[in-house]
């Protein structure tokens, strides 16, 4: 458990999540990351490995699912892969390694303040453990650019990331 709450999801605010995962479950439903209680009235953010091999990305507010795209065929080969989810306030993008696999148009309103501390690799009720490995999980309060997603994948580490130049503006990754 991570005692601070991941609360940047209020009223459709931008965010990104990036991590490496190697899944060994062969069809077991499990959680990658979770800040929402699995009982009624839940509010928070959840990444789920669904039993069909898809990745479920869920944003919940007071028991109501606000966004719930499932990205199919994500967990198929028991190998390490880099996942990045970006949301800019209107579109949620899912990148597998550096390939944009899915874009979902979505917006929501609500507090988004999680009702549970963040857990990695399990549900908040200590069930549905991830049978695999997680590494380099990071969160941003903005949507990462395609260039930044590529840099994170290419470096395979959050150490010593280079500066990204986009158009006439130059900025370093805010990590």
């Amino acid at each position: 458990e991570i005692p601070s709450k991941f609360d940047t999801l209020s009223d459709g605010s931008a965010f990104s999540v990036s991590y490496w995962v190697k899944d060994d479950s062969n069809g077991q439903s499990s959680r990658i990351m979770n800040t929402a209680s699995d009982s009624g009235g839940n509010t928070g953010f959840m990444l789920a490995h669904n039993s069909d091999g898809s990745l479920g990305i869920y944003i919940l507010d007071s028991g109501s699912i606000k966004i719930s795209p499932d990205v199919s065929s994500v967990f198929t080969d028991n190998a390490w892969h880099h996942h990045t989810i970006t949301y800019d306030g209107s579109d949620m993008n899912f990148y597998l390694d550096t390939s944009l696999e899915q874009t979902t148009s979505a917006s929501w309103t609500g507090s988004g303040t999680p009702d549970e501390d963040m857990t990695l690799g399990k549900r908040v009720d200590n069930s549905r453990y991830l049978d695999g490995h997680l590494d380099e999980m990071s969160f941003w309060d903005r949507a990462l650019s395609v260039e930044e997603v590529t840099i994170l994948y290419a470096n395979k580490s959050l150490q010593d990331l280079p500066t990204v130049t986009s158009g006439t503006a130059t900025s370093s990754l805010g990590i």
Side-chain angles (χ1 to χ4, degrees):
E1 280 185 26
I2 300 172
S4 61
K5 300 198 187 273
F6 179 53
D7 60 0
T8 63
L9 299 177
S10 61
D11 287 326
S13 57
F15 71 92
S16 295
V17 178
S18 173
Y19 57 94
W20 286 91
V21 63
K22 181 182 183 291
D23 178 73
D24 300 326
S25 71
N26 297 316
Q28 173 187 332
S29 178
S30 61
R31 297 293 185 266
I32 295 169
M33 193 276 293
N34 196 10
T35 66
S37 169
D38 290 293
S39 58
N42 51 2
T43 297
F45 182 67
M46 181 180 3
L47 297 174
H49 173 194
N50 298 321
S51 59
D52 64 359
S54 68
L55 174 69
I57 306 165
Y58 305 103
I59 295 175
L60 305 104
D61 188 27
S62 301
S64 173
I65 296 175
K66 299 297 184 173
I67 299 177
S68 62
D70 283 348
V71 183
S72 62
S73 301
V74 173
F75 299 102
T76 58
D77 61 4
N78 296 346
W80 280 101
H81 289 285
H82 188 250
H83 294 180
T84 305
I85 298 145
T86 65
Y87 181 71
D88 63 7
S90 61
D91 289 324
M92 183 174 288
N93 297 310
F94 173 73
Y95 297 86
L96 177 61
D97 299 323
T98 59
S99 175
L100 177 61
E101 295 292 314
Q102 183 169 311
T103 297
T104 302
S105 295
S107 63
W108 75 94
T109 59
S111 73
T113 302
D115 49 25
E116 298 287 341
D117 290 333
M118 182 185 302
T119 57
L120 300 177
K122 65 178 185 170
R123 283 181 16 167
V124 297
D125 66 359
N126 292 318
S127 67
R128 296 199 183 173
Y129 286 88
L130 176 68
D131 183 9
H133 307 278
L134 283 173
D135 196 20
E136 306 284 343
M137 183 168 267
S138 300
F139 303 88
W140 291 265
D141 61 358
R142 63 183 179 83
L144 294 178
S145 69
V146 173
E147 294 84 5
E148 291 169 322
V149 170
T150 302
I151 288 169
L152 286 170
Y153 175 78
N155 283 297
K156 302 198 179 1
S157 172
L158 296 176
Q159 304 300 316
D160 304 317
L161 289 173
T163 298
V164 176
T165 302
S166 176
T168 59
T170 300
S171 64
S172 60
L173 288 175
I175 298 175

